[in-house]
Amino acid sequence: MSDLSITPLPGMQIRCHLIQKSGALSQCPTGDALAGAKSGKNHYWVDIDADPRYAAELREWLQKLNLPTFVIDVLSEPPELWASQVIPLQKAVLAVIRTLPEEADSDEIAHLAALCLRNMLITFTSCQRSETAALYALVFQRMNVSERLPSPTSSGALIAWLRFHLDRTSQVLRALRHLVVSMDEAMDRDGVQSVDLEEIILAKDQLLRLLSVAEEQSECIESLSAAVETFDSSSFGSSSLPILRAKAGSTERTAIRLEKNLSDLRQRSEGYEHQMTNRRLAVLTVVSAVFMPLTLFTGIWGMNFENMPELSKPYAYPLALVFMILLAMIMIVYFRRAGWFD
């Protein structure tokens, strides 16, 4: 970065922070951040919110930062083409990680990029500002705490930045797990019918989105662990990356177990629905079977033959009614003992 200033494009937001020795962050002018990083005396975090714009416009602006060509190619791609990846460079590490959008239950896919240089961390996003606008304030609040960063360096800021997004995924997953446990307990306590199948399906859809995020984050952390071997691995701390790997792996495994639990709940709910349908069909079958012989007798006695002796009997009508009622009751008792009403 030869120029000691960055002129943002219209609508672009650039936020620069000095990483103090205590690990806390303090905002500073762009020129001071670039000059301090170039001198190697201090470490800085620069957050760039580009918002969606034409690739050619963004590429031209990124070229002014003297970034590696490959990094420019990745960052200037449309947001929908971004994919989680870690790219080790000679003097930097580029990490593109999938994160949850601002609304965790949204169907939108959001990726953020982080370029870790020797004395500067550059985080970058070009997705819709509505998806990540509020996340910067949360990240800054989380990182701007003494001893939150494993080390007051750009790589330490990268670890804290990644940890925030991993923790956010884990928190949303824990809330969903609490919901699933509540549904399971309600089924056991109040019966399967107490939980609507649609509620289970909505939870399953949210879980699948969380699982895809957790899987990409876990793969990204695994790749980063291998990539830092070509970078300055000591600056990442001896225990920071293993902790991130354990966190990402635990979140992914929890999501997989929760997917199985939701599948079991859905099977129970669908089984109950099938059982109720079978009961209704059984009732209809019994009703049809009861009325079948009655319909037969009604049809016979309704024939217009002149010689039908039973029609001339004085008590033929009441006897016929009693006979049909007794026949219906006998059939109902038979079907009940046979278990058709269980």
Side-chain angles (χ1 to χ4, degrees), residues 232-274:
D232 185 8
S233 57
S234 61
S235 63
F236 282 85
S238 59
S239 61
S240 300
L241 279 177
I243 291 175
L244 285 186
R245 291 175 61 186
K247 181 72 174 180
S250 174
T251 302
E252 183 181 6
R253 291 190 297 271
T254 300
I256 293 175
R257 289 195 299 268
L258 197 58
E259 182 183 17
K260 183 179 182 301
N261 293 341
L262 273 175
S263 297
D264 293 341
L265 293 182
R266 183 169 182 174
Q267 288 180 359
R268 291 174 62 183
S269 181
E270 290 178 344
Y272 175 79
E273 294 291 338
H274 293 160

Side-chain angles (χ1 to χ4, degrees), residues 74-235:
V74 173
L75 298 183
S76 61
E77 288 182 344
E80 59 271 14
L81 298 181
W82 281 32
S84 296
Q85 56 184 317
V86 173
I87 305 169
L89 304 172
Q90 185 176 3
K91 296 182 179 181
V93 173
L94 174 65
V96 180
I97 187 171
R98 182 175 176 182
T99 64
L100 292 175
E102 183 177 345
E103 297 294 334
D105 56 351
S106 172
D107 293 333
E108 300 295 335
I109 297 177
H111 285 86
L112 301 177
L115 178 64
C116 186
L117 303 169
R118 294 292 181 182
N119 293 84
M120 179 178 291
L121 171 66
I122 301 176
T123 54
F124 185 90
T125 177
S126 63
C127 58
Q128 291 287 347
R129 187 162 293 154
S130 59
E131 300 172 14
T132 58
L135 292 183
Y136 163 75
L138 295 176
V139 175
F140 178 77
Q141 181 180 3
R142 175 71 178 273
M143 294 174 61
N144 191 26
V145 177
S146 179
E147 298 183 359
R148 176 70 69 178
L149 277 63
S151 62
T153 61
S154 58
S155 56
L158 173 62
I159 294 296
W161 183 82
L162 290 171
R163 180 64 183 265
F164 167 82
H165 293 291
L166 293 180
D167 287 346
R168 186 165 177 264
T169 303
S170 179
Q171 290 170 3
V172 176
L173 185 61
R174 286 198 299 270
L176 182 59
R177 182 175 60 182
H178 177 73
L179 174 63
V180 173
V181 171
S182 299
M183 291 191 292
D184 193 5
E185 292 175 348
M187 282 186 173
D188 293 337
R189 181 181 62 253
D190 304 323
V192 180
Q193 72 280 3
S194 62
V195 178
D196 188 58
L197 178 60
E198 186 65 25
E199 185 179 358
I200 298 176
I201 293 175
L202 290 176
K204 183 66 174 292
D205 292 340
Q206 183 181 2
L207 174 63
L208 291 178
R209 290 192 294 269
L210 283 173
L211 179 57
S212 63
V213 173
E215 288 176 340
E216 290 194 38
Q217 289 181 348
S218 180
E219 293 173 0
C220 184
I221 299 302
E222 290 288 343
S223 300
L224 181 62
S225 299
V228 295
E229 296 178 0
T230 63
F231 193 54
D232 185 8
S233 57
S234 61
S235 63

